[in-house]
Amino acid sequence: NNFLKPKLRDKMVLQITKFLLEKMSKEFFYWVLVFLIQFSLLIRSFYGTILVSDLETDYLNTHDFANKINSFLMIELGGHILLFLVLAVAGKWLLVAIQLIPLLYFVALMARGELTVTPNTALRKASVQRRRYYVTLVVYGVVLSVGLFRLSETVVVDLLSPLGRQHASELLHEAAAAIF
Protein backbone atom coordinates (compact mmCIF):
# COMPACT_ATOMS: atom_id res chain seq x y z
CA ASN A 1 0.00 0.00 0.00
CA ASN A 2 2.85 2.42 0.69
CA PHE A 3 4.04 4.35 -2.32
CA LEU A 4 7.65 3.97 -1.24
CA LYS A 5 9.27 1.90 1.46
CA PRO A 6 10.13 4.00 4.54
CA LYS A 7 13.93 3.77 4.11
CA LEU A 8 13.76 4.74 0.44
CA ARG A 9 11.30 7.55 1.19
CA ASP A 10 13.52 8.91 3.98
CA LYS A 11 16.55 8.75 1.70
CA MET A 12 14.68 10.65 -1.03
CA VAL A 13 13.52 13.31 1.45
CA LEU A 14 17.11 13.77 2.63
CA GLN A 15 18.38 14.05 -0.96
CA ILE A 16 15.73 16.62 -1.87
CA THR A 17 16.44 18.60 1.29
CA LYS A 18 20.18 18.51 0.62
CA PHE A 19 19.59 19.66 -2.96
CA LEU A 20 17.37 22.54 -1.83
CA LEU A 21 19.85 23.65 0.82
CA GLU A 22 22.74 23.55 -1.64
CA LYS A 23 21.04 25.14 -4.65
CA MET A 24 18.52 27.53 -3.18
CA SER A 25 19.39 30.84 -1.60
CA LYS A 26 18.07 32.32 1.61
CA GLU A 27 15.91 34.47 -0.62
CA PHE A 28 14.02 31.35 -1.76
CA PHE A 29 13.25 30.30 1.80
CA TYR A 30 12.08 33.81 2.70
CA TRP A 31 9.67 33.83 -0.22
CA VAL A 32 8.35 30.34 0.57
CA LEU A 33 7.71 31.39 4.16
CA VAL A 34 6.06 34.64 3.01
CA PHE A 35 3.87 32.69 0.60
CA LEU A 36 2.74 30.19 3.25
CA ILE A 37 1.94 32.83 5.84
CA GLN A 38 0.27 35.12 3.32
CA PHE A 39 -1.80 32.32 1.84
CA SER A 40 -3.04 31.25 5.29
CA LEU A 41 -3.99 34.84 6.14
CA LEU A 42 -5.78 35.18 2.81
CA ILE A 43 -7.78 32.01 3.47
CA ARG A 44 -8.61 33.33 6.94
CA SER A 45 -9.93 36.56 5.41
CA PHE A 46 -12.09 34.60 2.95
CA TYR A 47 -13.43 32.55 5.84
CA GLY A 48 -14.22 35.70 7.84
CA THR A 49 -16.00 37.26 4.86
CA ILE A 50 -18.13 34.14 4.50
CA LEU A 51 -18.96 34.19 8.22
CA VAL A 52 -20.08 37.84 8.05
CA SER A 53 -22.19 37.07 4.98
CA ASP A 54 -23.74 34.06 6.74
CA LEU A 55 -24.57 36.20 9.79
CA GLU A 56 -26.20 38.90 7.67
CA THR A 57 -28.33 36.38 5.80
CA ASP A 58 -29.32 34.54 9.00
CA TYR A 59 -27.54 31.31 8.10
CA LEU A 60 -25.45 31.69 11.25
CA ASN A 61 -26.64 32.72 14.69
CA THR A 62 -24.86 35.39 16.71
CA HIS A 63 -23.38 32.94 19.25
CA ASP A 64 -21.74 30.79 16.58
CA PHE A 65 -20.54 33.86 14.72
CA ALA A 66 -18.91 35.34 17.84
CA ASN A 67 -17.25 32.04 18.74
CA LYS A 68 -15.88 31.47 15.25
CA ILE A 69 -14.62 35.03 14.72
CA ASN A 70 -13.03 35.35 18.17
CA SER A 71 -11.35 31.94 18.06
CA PHE A 72 -8.91 33.06 15.35
CA LEU A 73 -8.07 36.62 16.45
CA MET A 74 -4.82 35.89 18.30
CA ILE A 75 -3.68 33.43 15.61
CA GLU A 76 -4.39 36.06 12.96
CA LEU A 77 -2.48 38.71 14.93
CA GLY A 78 0.43 36.27 15.27
CA GLY A 79 0.36 35.69 11.50
CA HIS A 80 0.45 39.43 10.86
CA ILE A 81 3.40 39.92 13.20
CA LEU A 82 5.28 36.89 11.85
CA LEU A 83 4.81 38.02 8.25
CA PHE A 84 5.91 41.55 9.15
CA LEU A 85 9.05 40.20 10.85
CA VAL A 86 9.95 37.83 8.00
CA LEU A 87 9.62 40.62 5.45
CA ALA A 88 11.67 42.97 7.64
CA VAL A 89 14.44 40.41 8.16
CA ALA A 90 14.49 39.75 4.41
CA GLY A 91 14.79 43.50 3.79
CA LYS A 92 11.64 43.76 1.65
CA TRP A 93 10.78 47.29 2.74
CA LEU A 94 8.02 48.01 0.23
CA LEU A 95 6.17 44.86 1.29
CA VAL A 96 6.84 45.70 4.95
CA ALA A 97 5.15 49.07 4.37
CA ILE A 98 2.22 47.41 2.59
CA GLN A 99 1.91 44.77 5.32
CA LEU A 100 1.93 47.51 7.95
CA ILE A 101 -1.52 48.67 6.73
CA PRO A 102 -3.52 45.61 7.87
CA LEU A 103 -1.32 45.13 10.94
CA LEU A 104 -1.94 48.67 12.21
CA TYR A 105 -5.62 48.46 11.28
CA PHE A 106 -5.91 45.18 13.17
CA VAL A 107 -4.16 46.62 16.26
CA ALA A 108 -6.26 49.82 16.15
CA LEU A 109 -9.49 47.83 16.02
CA MET A 110 -8.26 45.64 18.85
CA ALA A 111 -7.29 48.69 20.97
CA ARG A 112 -10.75 50.25 20.46
CA GLY A 113 -12.44 46.96 21.35
CA GLU A 114 -14.08 46.69 17.94
CA LEU A 115 -12.38 43.46 16.97
CA THR A 116 -13.76 41.01 19.49
CA VAL A 117 -17.40 40.16 19.05
CA THR A 118 -19.97 39.09 21.63
CA PRO A 119 -23.31 37.56 20.72
CA ASN A 120 -25.02 40.82 21.77
CA THR A 121 -22.84 42.98 19.50
CA ALA A 122 -22.43 40.59 16.57
CA LEU A 123 -24.96 42.25 14.27
CA ARG A 124 -23.75 45.75 15.15
CA LYS A 125 -20.10 44.86 14.47
CA ALA A 126 -20.74 42.89 11.29
CA SER A 127 -20.07 45.92 9.09
CA VAL A 128 -16.76 46.62 10.87
CA GLN A 129 -15.75 42.98 10.40
CA ARG A 130 -16.78 43.03 6.72
CA ARG A 131 -14.77 46.22 6.09
CA ARG A 132 -11.73 44.73 7.84
CA TYR A 133 -11.88 41.58 5.75
CA TYR A 134 -12.23 43.54 2.52
CA VAL A 135 -9.18 45.67 3.37
CA THR A 136 -7.13 42.62 4.27
CA LEU A 137 -8.23 40.71 1.17
CA VAL A 138 -6.96 43.48 -1.08
CA VAL A 139 -3.66 43.88 0.76
CA TYR A 140 -3.10 40.13 1.03
CA GLY A 141 -3.87 39.69 -2.65
CA VAL A 142 -1.27 42.30 -3.61
CA VAL A 143 1.41 40.92 -1.30
CA LEU A 144 0.66 37.34 -2.37
CA SER A 145 0.94 38.29 -6.06
CA VAL A 146 4.27 40.02 -5.53
CA GLY A 147 5.45 37.14 -3.35
CA LEU A 148 4.56 34.52 -5.96
CA PHE A 149 6.33 36.46 -8.67
CA ARG A 150 9.45 36.90 -6.55
CA LEU A 151 9.35 33.23 -5.47
CA SER A 152 9.22 32.04 -9.08
CA GLU A 153 11.95 34.49 -10.05
CA THR A 154 14.15 33.22 -7.21
CA VAL A 155 13.61 29.58 -8.16
CA VAL A 156 14.45 30.21 -11.81
CA VAL A 157 17.51 32.31 -11.05
CA ASP A 158 18.84 29.90 -8.39
CA LEU A 159 18.58 26.82 -10.59
CA LEU A 160 20.13 28.18 -13.75
CA SER A 161 23.74 28.55 -14.85
CA PRO A 162 25.31 32.02 -14.55
CA LEU A 163 24.49 32.91 -18.17
CA GLY A 164 21.00 31.45 -17.83
CA ARG A 165 20.52 33.45 -14.64
CA GLN A 166 21.36 36.66 -16.43
CA HIS A 167 18.91 35.95 -19.27
CA ALA A 168 16.17 34.79 -16.90
CA SER A 169 16.64 37.78 -14.64
CA GLU A 170 16.40 40.18 -17.59
CA LEU A 171 13.33 38.41 -18.92
CA LEU A 172 11.57 38.42 -15.55
CA HIS A 173 12.38 42.08 -14.95
CA GLU A 174 10.98 42.98 -18.37
CA ALA A 175 7.86 40.96 -17.60
CA ALA A 176 7.46 42.70 -14.25
CA ALA A 177 7.90 46.11 -15.85
CA ALA A 178 5.22 45.28 -18.40
CA ILE A 179 2.79 44.09 -15.71
CA PHE A 180 3.39 46.75 -13.09
Side-chain angles (χ1 to χ4, degrees):
N1 282 343
N2 289 339
F3 177 69
L4 294 171
K5 296 185 183 206
K7 286 184 179 183
L8 180 61
R9 183 184 60 228
D10 293 344
K11 185 178 178 181
M12 287 178 63
V13 167
L14 286 173
Q15 287 175 342
I16 292 170
T17 305
K18 182 180 176 188
F19 172 78
L20 287 175
L21 290 174
E22 288 174 358
K23 291 286 187 183
M24 297 298 176
S25 62
K26 281 192 272 183
E27 188 87 5
F28 168 76
F29 292 106
Y30 284 134
W31 287 118
V32 167
L33 191 57
V34 165
F35 171 76
L36 293 174
I37 297 167
Q38 195 66 51
F39 187 72
S40 65
L41 287 172
L42 186 68
I43 294 299
R44 169 66 180 118
S45 289
F46 276 123
Y47 179 67
T49 305
I50 291 168
L51 287 177
V52 170
S53 176
D54 286 351
L55 176 69
E56 292 174 340
T57 57
D58 289 332
Y59 287 125
L60 191 64
N61 66 45
T62 56
H63 291 280
D64 290 340
F65 176 76
N67 289 336
K68 289 179 180 184
I69 287 288
N70 293 335
S71 66
F72 286 103
L73 290 178
M74 286 298 141
I75 295 169
E76 191 173 355
L77 178 62
H80 282 289
I81 292 170
L82 181 62
L83 183 60
F84 180 81
L85 291 174
V86 168
L87 289 170
V89 167
K92 309 304 177 200
W93 302 116
L94 177 63
L95 292 178
V96 166
I98 293 172
Q99 183 57 35
L100 202 55
I101 295 167
L103 179 61
L104 291 177
Y105 185 59
F106 192 89
V107 170
L109 287 177
M110 189 174 265
R112 290 188 306 225
E114 295 179 8
L115 203 55
T116 55
V117 177
T118 64
N120 296 334
T121 62
L123 289 172
R124 223 175 331 135
K125 291 186 177 182
S127 64
V128 172
Q129 294 289 338
R130 184 180 344 95
R131 204 172 29 245
R132 177 174 78 89
Y133 289 122
Y134 288 159
V135 167
T136 56
L137 280 172
V138 169
V139 172
Y140 294 160
V142 168
V143 175
L144 187 67
S145 300
V146 171
L148 277 173
F149 178 79
R150 296 294 299 184
L151 176 63
S152 62
E153 178 187 35
T154 303
V155 168
V156 168
V157 170
D158 282 353
L159 290 178
L160 293 176
S161 66
L163 181 61
R165 287 180 188 174
Q166 181 183 356
H167 292 301
S169 180
E170 290 170 6
L171 179 68
L172 288 171
H173 286 293
E174 288 175 14
I179 292 172
F180 300 111

